[in-house]
Amino acid sequence: MRAMVISGGGSKGAFAGGVAQYLIQELELEYNLFLGTSTGSLLISHLALNKIEKIKKVYTSVDQDHIFSNCPFVVKKKHGVENIGIHHINVIKNFLSGSKTFGESHRLLELIHRTITVDEFEKLKKGPKDIVVTVSNLSLNQVEYKSINECSYDEFCEWIWISCNYTPFMSLVKKNGCEYADGGLGSIVPIEEAIKRGATVIDAIVLQTEVTQLNRMPSKNAFSLLTNMFEFMLDRIEHQNIRIGKLVASHNNAIINFYYTPTVLTTNSLIFEKEKMTLWWESGFNFAKFKNIGNNQVETHIG
């Protein structure tokens, strides 16, 4: 049983799309399970349908206005370096409305509904492939995995949205009496879950470099400090997910093929720029092609 696992990574999901396109269209690999976290959850339904050009168009045209109904920050460029500053008016408006977060991302939910049709959902649900998204249940302090086979159309779209909600910058969702947020807060690279669901070969697309190549610049304001802190914590979670995944794979005689980004794509994955994301998609495709040159498939046995 073969699984594709795509990590969280915000705008860097464009790179994952390029890698997946090469694996599916060029190597013609067949997957039984697609499992995604955050931006990965946005990709997997279309990859399972082999509607790659459709999701590529979304990833190479999206910007902040497609994501945020109330954006809590402004993007500033100085000497070619992007930094985020607090959008004080929007943040105050959000708090005055009773929100618990700095910003809201309801436009992303609308985008998901426009992108995944009811017919596509029904086709996936009736098909042999399982599509699973990762969410974090803050109330119960646990990670949950939501399969398309357990959901209605509206529920599945909402779980994808929840998986992407990078709190406290995006919406906090109350559902079934619990508060939910970005799946990456608990499991950025859900390799272990893929193996639990029966996967024996996993292609894991990790939207981070394999070796740390980043020395973060000093924080400019409260928001940049928060994003730096979150990135630090998410990096630790990611490394832990990968270590556990390798351990579980060795115990289950499973194979993992890792696709890391070869370079640091961005220091802030909340910034969505069409030009950069278009380049990242092509970069992901070319990287997967280079990695697989001379081989029908590259498989590294972990054990």
Side-chain angles (χ1 to χ4, degrees):
M1 177 178 174
R2 192 174 199 116
M4 177 176 285
V5 172
I6 304 179
S7 80
S11 58
K12 294 183 288 185
F15 180 90
V19 173
Q21 180 180 15
Y22 184 83
L23 298 179
I24 293 169
Q25 290 187 342
E26 301 299 319
L27 294 189
E28 298 182 344
L29 299 177
E30 293 288 336
Y31 294 94
N32 312 99
L33 170 65
F34 289 84
L35 212 163
T37 293
S38 196
T39 194
S41 70
L42 291 171
L43 287 161
I44 55 178
S45 295
H46 298 86
L47 297 177
L49 288 164
N50 203 18
K51 293 195 173 182
I52 296 174
E53 288 303 322
K54 180 181 177 181
I55 192 62
K56 179 180 180 181
K57 185 177 180 181
V58 173
Y59 264 82
T60 54
S61 63
V62 73
D63 57 24
Q64 314 293 102
D65 291 336
H66 291 94
I67 306 295
F68 293 95
S69 46
N70 186 26
C71 188
F73 57 82
V74 291
V75 180
K76 302 176 181 178
K77 279 190 177 181
K78 188 173 182 181
H79 306 303
V81 178
E82 295 165 333
N83 291 295
I84 61 171
I86 304 171
H87 195 308
H88 293 90
I89 293 175
N90 281 1
V91 171
I92 290 170
K93 281 167 56 179
N94 226 43
F95 288 149
L96 289 176
S97 70
S99 174
K100 299 175 183 177
T101 58
F102 298 120
E104 298 292 345
S105 57
H106 295 285
R107 285 183 185 167
L108 176 58
L109 179 59
E110 295 170 3
L111 177 63
I112 293 167
H113 276 285
R114 291 198 304 272
T115 306
I116 303 174
T117 67
V118 175
D119 288 342
E120 288 170 338
F121 169 81
E122 293 297 339
K123 183 177 179 181
L124 283 172
K125 194 165 184 177
K126 292 174 183 176
K129 300 173 183 178
D130 196 7
I131 318 298
V132 181
V133 301
T134 310
V135 296
S136 297
N137 187 326
L138 303 184
S139 300
L140 298 181
N141 196 34
Q142 64 186 24
V143 179
E144 296 177 5
Y145 300 94
K146 305 298 182 181
S147 168
I148 194 170
N149 297 318
E150 304 164 351
C151 303
S152 67
Y153 170 73
D154 287 331
E155 286 173 337
F156 189 63
C157 289
E158 193 170 29
W159 286 126
I160 293 172
W161 175 52
I162 290 170
S163 181
C164 299
N165 274 332
Y166 189 50
T167 53
F169 304 101
M170 299 169 76
S171 300
L172 178 70
V173 182
K174 190 163 186 179
K175 189 174 176 67
N176 303 328
C178 296
E179 290 183 332
Y180 283 93
D182 194 317
L185 296 175
S187 180
I188 299 180
V189 195
I191 297 169
E192 181 183 12
E193 182 65 18
I195 296 171
K196 285 182 178 178
R197 289 175 180 263
T200 53
V201 180
I202 303 104
D203 292 321
I205 305 174
V206 183
L207 295 172
Q208 192 64 274
T209 55
E210 187 171 5
V211 179
T212 302
Q213 300 178 6
L214 183 64
N215 185 11
R216 295 190 184 279
M217 298 297 288
S219 303
K220 299 290 185 181
N221 52 59
F223 266 26
S224 65
L225 172 60
L226 266 177
T227 56
N228 283 347
M229 287 173 58
F230 269 89
E231 288 296 329
F232 176 81
M233 290 186 289
L234 294 176
D235 283 349
R236 298 304 96 199
I237 294 169
E238 181 179 81
H239 289 307
Q240 183 185 53
N241 291 161
I242 291 170
R243 284 198 300 270
I244 293 172
K246 288 179 177 179
L247 181 63
V248 174
S250 68
H251 287 168
N252 289 271
N253 199 33
I255 295 168
I256 310 175
N257 307 311
F258 285 102
Y259 292 85
Y260 294 92
T261 62
T263 60
V264 176
L265 299 179
T266 179
T267 56
N268 194 324
S269 58
L270 283 175
I271 299 173
F272 297 84
E273 288 190 299
K274 301 174 186 179
E275 296 79 8
K276 285 187 176 180
M277 293 172 73
T278 300
L279 290 173
W280 293 344
W281 190 289
E282 299 305 322
S283 175
F285 183 91
N286 291 329
F287 174 74
K289 180 178 180 180
F290 174 79
K291 184 176 172 70
N292 287 282
I293 282 177
N295 301 293
N296 291 327
Q297 64 190 59
V298 175
E299 293 188 347
T300 304
H301 185 265
I302 305 299

